[in-house]
Amino acid sequence: MNVYVNNKYGNIMDMFYYESEWGFIITMVHMGFVMMAAENKSWNKLAIVSGEIALGFDLIIEPLFWKEIAPVVFPDMKWHGLDLYYRIEMPFVHSIPLISMIINIAITDMVFLKKDWRMCFASGVLYIGADYLGFRMEGHPMYPVVDWTNPAKTIGIFML
């Protein structure tokens, strides 16, 4: 549905520019790897690494959305049309990934590996490029705190 709405009413590239979309997609891909690993242990490494990356995104995205963005965005939204769609879509995109990761970790024997931190960090660094591209192409920052008015500060916040 999100692909359809972004394509018809917005910009399909928003699914590349927003970190929440990265977190959602990586988490769903991870869940696919987990299901494959349940049947065939050769998928374990992909399940673990994708889980580490997904959780890294989700632990940042969900709390920041609910604390900083939702209180600003939701009061201005209407209860019909496209606004109603986003009132439903945004809570799902900003909750389901972290909830599913917590449940997955609780019911499986997945163990995160310290040695994989470089892959997790690199995936976060890759997102900086997507955010900057979104800023340049859309003409506005993707998120209010990282607005690219001070590139060093914006990159520093992302690196943190």
Side-chain angles (χ1 to χ4, degrees):
M1 187 66 181
N2 204 15
V3 170
Y4 171 79
V5 169
N6 276 315
N7 195 39
K8 182 170 173 104
Y9 298 104
N11 181 353
I12 193 72
M13 288 301 292
D14 282 350
M15 296 181 73
F16 178 72
Y17 301 148
Y18 285 100
E19 188 171 12
S20 52
E21 298 291 342
W22 280 49
F24 188 86
I25 292 166
I26 294 167
T27 301
M28 295 306 112
V29 167
H30 161 69
M31 292 300 166
F33 289 150
V34 167
M35 288 187 276
M36 290 187 274
E39 296 294 321
N40 181 343
K41 298 300 178 198
S42 67
W43 289 93
N44 279 2
K45 182 66 177 173
L46 279 174
I48 291 169
V49 171
S50 62
E52 293 166 335
I53 293 169
L55 192 59
F57 275 94
D58 298 341
L59 286 172
I60 299 298
I61 295 164
E62 276 78 3
L64 284 176
F65 172 80
W66 289 107
K67 182 176 182 335
E68 301 294 330
I69 297 171
V72 174
V73 172
F74 284 125
D76 294 333
M77 296 175 96
K78 299 174 187 76
W79 286 94
H80 55 82
L82 201 52
D83 281 359
L84 178 59
Y85 167 77
Y86 283 117
R87 279 185 177 275
I88 296 167
E89 185 263 354
M90 283 198 284
F92 278 103
V93 168
H94 297 94
S95 299
I96 297 295
L98 186 57
I99 291 168
S100 62
M101 287 301 301
I102 291 168
I103 292 169
N104 184 41
I105 291 166
I107 65 173
T108 66
D109 59 353
M110 186 180 342
V111 177
F112 294 133
L113 306 172
K114 287 181 184 179
K115 67 181 178 126
D116 291 341
W117 74 269
R118 286 177 189 87
M119 286 184 277
C120 298
F121 184 75
S123 64
V125 169
L126 280 173
Y127 175 72
I128 296 171
D131 186 87
Y132 180 73
L133 184 62
F135 167 71
R136 299 289 297 170
M137 300 305 286
E138 298 279 323
H140 61 81
M142 301 296 97
Y143 297 101
V145 177
V146 284
D147 61 8
W148 292 100
T149 55
N150 180 339
K153 177 183 172 189
T154 298
I155 292 169
I157 290 170
F158 275 125
M159 297 296 271
L160 182 62

